[in-house]
Amino acid sequence: MSIQHLHSADELEQYKAKPGKKLLFKHSTTCPISAKAYEEFQSYLKDNDTEAAVVLVIEDRPVSNKIAEDFGIKHESPQIFLLDGSEVRWNTSHWKITQSSIKEAVSQ
């Protein structure tokens, strides 16, 4: 499954409007922790058919900031959200982003 890249507030809104469970990953391209978390995220997606999107926090800072505002969750990176519709069901950051933690959250 391909990962959608969100580059604008409009794209974020469209993604949030999609029904069902989906993942949203905030990725810092300069951070080694984020690189590792992104690998875990991609590994999860290889074996699971969950819709997923990524926001590059440096390149698309306005979108990243909007996520923090919309969800009322302090910005961190790397950071992952499980959305059900436009509601956040789960989120975590840094080393807690693993293939198994994502799998567990999605299966709840």
Side-chain angles (χ1 to χ4, degrees):
M1 167 165 281
S2 66
I3 300 171
Q4 187 182 348
H5 282 256
L6 305 178
H7 301 291
S8 70
D10 282 350
E11 287 176 354
L12 174 63
E13 289 308 313
Q14 285 166 10
Y15 186 70
K16 281 169 42 185
K18 290 180 179 183
K21 288 184 181 176
K22 51 199 175 285
L23 294 165
L24 179 57
F25 186 90
K26 285 172 117 175
H27 181 36
S28 169
T29 50
T30 60
C31 168
I33 298 173
S34 198
K36 181 72 184 106
Y38 193 61
E39 275 175 30
E40 293 282 326
F41 175 59
Q42 289 177 305
S43 296
Y44 168 80
L45 291 172
K46 266 191 207 108
D47 301 328
N48 295 274
D49 196 28
T50 309
E51 191 151 357
V54 75
V55 172
L56 301 178
V57 298
I58 296 166
E59 294 81 351
D60 294 308
R61 180 140 345 256
V63 185
S64 173
N65 292 344
K66 187 159 174 27
I67 292 168
E69 283 166 33
D70 287 0
F71 298 147
I73 295 169
K74 185 173 84 72
H75 165 73
E76 300 191 65
S77 83
Q79 188 173 37
I80 192 168
F81 301 88
L82 172 66
L83 305 180
D84 194 347
S86 57
E87 298 291 306
V88 177
R89 294 281 174 243
W90 170 81
N91 73 289
T92 194
S93 67
H94 296 87
W95 297 113
K96 295 191 188 94
I97 300 172
T98 62
Q99 197 174 337
S100 60
S101 72
I102 298 168
K103 190 176 183 128
E104 191 178 328
V106 172
S107 69
Q108 291 299 307

